[in-house]
Amino acid sequence: MNRQELFGIVQEMKPANLSLYYPDGESDAFWKQALLSETLKEDISEIREEAQRLDSQPISELTDTLFSIFARTGSRLEYERVYFERRRRLNTYVFMTLLEPDNVRLLENLENILWSICEEYTWCLPAHLPADHNTENFDQFIDLFSSETAFTLAEISLLLGVRLPLLLRSRIRHEVEKRIFRPFIECGPYEWETARHNWAAVCAGSIGAAALLMLDDPATLTNILLKTERSMSYYLEGFGDDGACLEGLSYWNYGFGYFTYYSDLLRVRSEGRVDWFATDKVRSIAQFQQKIFIGGNFVANFSDSEPRIHIHMGLSHYLADTYPEVECPPPVLRTPYAKDHCSRWAPAFRNLIWRRTGDEKQDQDWGAASYYLPDAGWLVSRYQSGGSSFGFAAKGGHNAEPHNHNDLGQFILSGGGEIYAADLGCGEYTAEYFGAGRYQYDCNGSQGHSVPIIGGQYQLAGRKHSAAVLYASAAVEKDELKLELSQAYEVEELQSLIRSMVWYKGQHPRLELMDEYQYNGKSVSWTERFVTLRRPKMLRSGVVLLPGTGVGGVELTYDVQIVEPEITAREYRDHFGRDTVWHTLDFHALKPGSEGKLVFTFQFI
């Protein structure tokens, strides 16, 4: 769409008002009903608990000392904990003010935190500012959280309206224009504007949404929407037709969530004349969530994704109302109010206003299903037997994906509420985590994945280090994935490496894994590495037990004539900075020749 066409649409838009959120435009009626709703009972109870916790605490300060920690040490958590606590305080008092409109004290608490956020020196995180930044031009930088803050303040200002003092509403408008709208138009283009991952959707989507809620001038709004629409096109280019989010479900929730929040506001304000939801690719992406769970709240957590995911019910229900192919998730997967450590307003608000009532899916788990996602090269399967859920996932792809891990051929195995073959997922975000030392972190490098170590060498990063899918099948009785992985390594002697995985879905499911390799000339050492959060035990010759609790566990069988096992306990720091124990189960080839075949069976017992 060109500028002239978009300008014509913008000129005909009605002013932003509460009908964007409430069918009859009546805020008080919705929140009175919410207080009586069984569907929202837990959410509102959690909001009240958070308000009670905050009542006895002052507003946390973002000090210069906290701000400087990242530059001095590379650690992000200290500043971000306080930053996100302030956002949770803001969210909580907005909700409480909406739920109890006559409570003057709640409104005063809300006004105080709004003023405090307007006074923040920058809305950006230190980790997202250039290392050589000049403090005089902080307002030229826009990151994920500064754009989110603009969206949040614009939405809150519209929702509360005249209940907020005119001076405060004017201050909010001034700060959003100064920190976000003007830099977006005058100081870009920003690198994220053409990103094919979550940054484009979150930054541009938040800015576009804030503009739709706050701007009255058609020319300025058109200029912002043109740039936003361009960024959304780039964001969608990061997906194949299979709709898979290569960053993992955590970033699907984040990036596609903000894409949806913006696109909804644009569709409503343009009266359907601009509608991203009418595109086939968006329809496909909307189905990704239901395809990535492997049992309970476990997901195929490739890339920087957590292994356990809770769901934004508002987003899920909105997509299910939009597309008949999208399944409503089991209610037990609902994200508790305080679960989002970033305390994002947009999903928290829509978890309330977009929730279906009375017809929620009552199942405790997703149904059995298997999916092969050909563009991503992922196979994901969940299966139910004897009252337990079992899951298997494996991936091809390449080693230059967004939030990339060097993990071609990686697989995950779950059953009975336990993960047996694990993906460590996302580690603690630090300066080096996204710097030159990224693949020294075990959760990112192939040393922390269930893939071979060849001649002492790990897989390497880069687009040319890719997997070729030779065969894939998702069927009722078994799923199969066969990959050519030799390009993942730069081992001169390696001519071919074919990994075959067959997932049999019997009463006691099993995975059969076979690696076949050929060397071109001199052979080198070979180690099969498997990663687990369980503590492996040598059960008997040729069998290692991965003990379980929900089920008996998994017996891993191997050929004692070909390999020798070695078990090592290790530690890594997870996304929240916690030291976490994991284990490597290494099988060293006793006599690696010019070619070889190694077979392993993972049998649930």
Side-chain angles (χ1 to χ4, degrees):
M1 181 178 300
N2 60 39
R3 189 184 190 284
Q4 183 177 358
E5 292 172 322
L6 184 57
F7 182 71
I9 294 172
V10 170
Q11 280 188 306
E12 295 179 10
M13 286 182 179
K14 298 175 183 177
N17 57 57
L18 294 181
S19 64
L20 290 168
Y21 310 106
Y22 313 116
D24 55 4
E26 289 293 328
S27 171
D28 289 346
F30 173 85
W31 294 102
K32 286 179 181 178
Q33 186 62 37
L35 286 169
L36 303 174
S37 170
E38 282 297 317
T39 301
L40 300 180
K41 183 176 180 179
E42 285 184 278
D43 301 77
I44 291 174
S45 175
E46 291 161 358
I47 292 168
R48 290 192 185 282
E49 288 177 11
E50 188 64 17
Q52 292 170 3
R53 182 184 73 84
L54 293 169
D55 276 346
S56 61
Q57 298 182 10
I59 297 174
S60 303
E61 293 296 324
L62 288 170
T63 65
D64 292 342
T65 301
L66 285 173
F67 188 86
S68 66
I69 288 174
F70 179 76
R72 290 187 283 108
T73 70
S75 177
R76 298 174 52 156
L77 292 178
E78 294 83 359
Y79 183 89
E80 292 178 12
R81 284 193 185 107
V82 177
Y83 182 101
F84 295 136
E85 172 78 0
R86 290 163 65 90
R87 269 58 183 173
R88 178 164 292 136
R89 187 183 193 92
L90 172 63
N91 298 351
T92 301
Y93 283 122
V94 174
F95 289 132
M96 290 303 300
T97 300
L98 292 168
L99 289 164
E100 300 182 18
D102 298 326
N103 191 321
V104 176
R105 181 181 57 82
L106 291 172
L107 184 59
E108 289 176 350
N109 287 338
L110 171 57
E111 291 174 13
N112 288 336
I113 185 60
L114 281 169
W115 279 112
S116 186
I117 288 175
C118 286
E119 292 288 344
E120 288 176 356
Y121 193 59
T122 176
W123 289 340
C124 298
L125 299 185
H128 294 161
L129 293 169
D132 59 349
H133 62 75
N134 184 332
T135 57
E136 294 180 358
N137 63 359
F138 265 7
D139 289 342
Q140 294 183 11
F141 299 116
I142 300 176
D143 75 340
L144 297 165
F145 296 100
S146 64
S147 54
E148 281 185 49
T149 299
F151 180 14
T152 298
L153 296 184
E155 194 150 66
I156 289 170
S157 185
L158 177 62
L159 288 167
L160 273 295
V162 296
R163 297 183 62 191
L164 297 177
L166 177 59
L167 184 61
L168 177 53
R169 284 182 282 138
S170 297
R171 179 66 187 278
I172 288 171
R173 177 180 289 271
H174 170 76
E175 294 299 330
V176 172
E177 288 179 347
K178 180 184 72 171
R179 298 174 190 249
I180 302 298
F181 293 158
R182 253 184 270 141
F184 186 49
I185 294 172
E186 299 171 5
C187 301
Y190 294 90
E191 184 178 357
W192 49 258
E193 290 187 51
T194 56
R196 293 173 174 85
H197 53 70
N198 71 89
W199 273 70
V202 176
C203 294
S206 292
I207 295 169
L212 285 164
L213 298 173
M214 184 171 281
L215 292 181
D216 301 315
D217 176 55
T220 305
L221 179 54
T222 298
N223 289 339
I224 288 178
L225 292 181
L226 271 175
K227 289 170 67 69
T228 300
E229 289 288 279
R230 180 171 177 265
S231 289
M232 292 308 183
S233 294
Y234 276 102
Y235 171 66
L236 294 179
E237 286 181 11
F239 295 84
D241 291 338
D242 61 11
C245 179
L246 299 181
E247 301 174 280
L249 186 59
S250 301
Y251 282 98
W252 179 92
N253 270 316
Y254 192 23
F256 192 63
Y258 275 84
F259 172 91
T260 300
Y261 312 146
Y262 160 75
S263 299
D264 167 70
L265 290 171
L266 180 62
R267 178 168 66 170
V268 175
R269 286 217 58 197
S270 70
E271 297 182 325
R273 295 172 67 183
V274 186
D275 186 2
W276 281 107
F277 299 107
T279 66
D280 289 339
K281 180 173 280 191
V282 174
R283 179 186 296 270
S284 182
I285 298 168
Q287 299 173 60
F288 176 69
Q289 178 175 258
Q290 67 206 45
K291 296 178 179 179
I292 204 65
F293 278 85
I294 57 175
N297 62 355
F298 286 120
V299 298
N301 63 314
F302 304 130
S303 305
D304 282 336
S305 179
E306 297 176 49
R308 293 178 181 266
I309 299 289
H310 288 83
I311 280 174
H312 294 316
M313 284 296 181
L315 173 63
S316 300
H317 288 185
Y318 180 91
L319 295 173
D321 286 339
T322 304
Y323 302 114
E325 303 91 339
V326 172
E327 298 177 25
C328 277
V332 295
L333 296 179
R334 178 190 69 90
T335 300
Y337 174 65
K339 180 70 175 178
D340 180 5
H341 71 283
C342 294
S343 303
R344 298 180 176 96
W345 161 261
F349 177 50
R350 286 158 179 82
N351 279 339
L352 301 177
I353 66 168
W354 282 355
R355 285 279 285 283
R356 285 183 177 179
T357 57
D359 63 343
E360 293 169 303
K361 180 178 179 180
Q362 296 304 311
D363 295 338
Q364 297 302 298
D365 205 347
W366 299 93
S370 294
Y371 303 98
Y372 174 60
L373 304 171
D375 297 300
W378 293 8
L379 180 66
V380 183
S381 176
R382 55 180 178 264
Y383 175 69
Q384 295 174 344
S385 175
S388 292
S389 294
F390 300 88
F392 167 68
K395 75 179 296 291
H398 59 83
N399 282 341
E401 296 165 352
H403 282 265
N404 180 67
H405 292 188
N406 292 340
D407 61 352
L408 308 184
Q410 164 74 349
F411 67 95
I412 301 167
L413 199 60
S414 69
E418 302 284 356
I419 295 290
Y420 291 93
D423 193 302
L424 302 180
C426 52
E428 179 185 355
Y429 285 2
T430 64
E432 274 297 286
Y433 192 90
F434 292 104
R438 178 173 179 80
Y439 298 107
Q440 295 174 20
Y441 288 81
D442 289 339
C443 51
N444 299 334
S446 71
Q447 70 273 17
H449 293 83
S450 297
V451 298
I453 303 168
I454 305 171
Q457 302 298 308
Y458 302 129
Q459 293 184 12
L460 295 180
R463 185 62 178 83
K464 69 176 182 179
H465 300 294
S466 60
V469 177
L470 304 180
Y471 180 75
S473 173
V476 175
E477 295 184 353
K478 65 180 181 180
D479 301 318
E480 300 181 65
L481 186 62
K482 188 174 186 179
L483 305 168
E484 178 23 275
L485 297 175
S486 59
Q487 294 302 309
Y489 302 83
E490 288 189 3
V491 177
E492 184 179 354
E493 296 84 0
L494 183 63
Q495 186 174 17
S496 71
L497 165 55
I498 296 176
R499 166 162 285 192
S500 302
M501 291 170 279
V502 185
W503 170 238
Y504 293 94
K505 308 174 196 177
Q507 181 180 358
H508 299 288
R510 74 180 188 277
L511 170 67
E512 292 188 0
L513 181 147
M514 179 172 65
D515 280 343
E516 301 174 272
Y517 65 84
Q518 286 188 342
Y519 290 128
N520 184 11
K522 180 182 177 181
S523 63
V524 296
S525 64
W526 188 282
T527 298
E528 287 283 355
R529 169 160 290 183
F530 301 126
V531 170
T532 181
L533 299 175
R534 315 303 301 164
R535 184 176 179 179
K537 298 179 180 179
M538 293 301 304
L539 198 59
R540 55 186 180 273
S541 180
V543 182
V544 175
L545 175 67
L546 304 179
T549 51
V551 293
V554 170
E555 288 187 351
L556 197 171
T557 59
Y558 61 95
D559 190 334
V560 297
Q561 303 298 318
I562 295 177
V563 293
E564 180 180 27
E566 178 186 9
I567 299 170
T568 307
R570 305 176 186 270
E571 276 193 0
Y572 83 108
R573 289 177 69 84
D574 72 8
H575 189 56
F576 303 99
R578 300 173 297 207
D579 291 327
T580 304
V581 176
W582 60 290
H583 297 83
T584 52
L585 183 51
D586 290 338
F587 291 91
H588 305 290
L590 297 174
K591 296 179 180 179
S594 59
E595 60 182 26
K597 179 188 296 185
L598 298 94
V599 178
F600 301 88
T601 299
F602 296 77
Q603 176 69 64
F604 280 94
I605 56 174

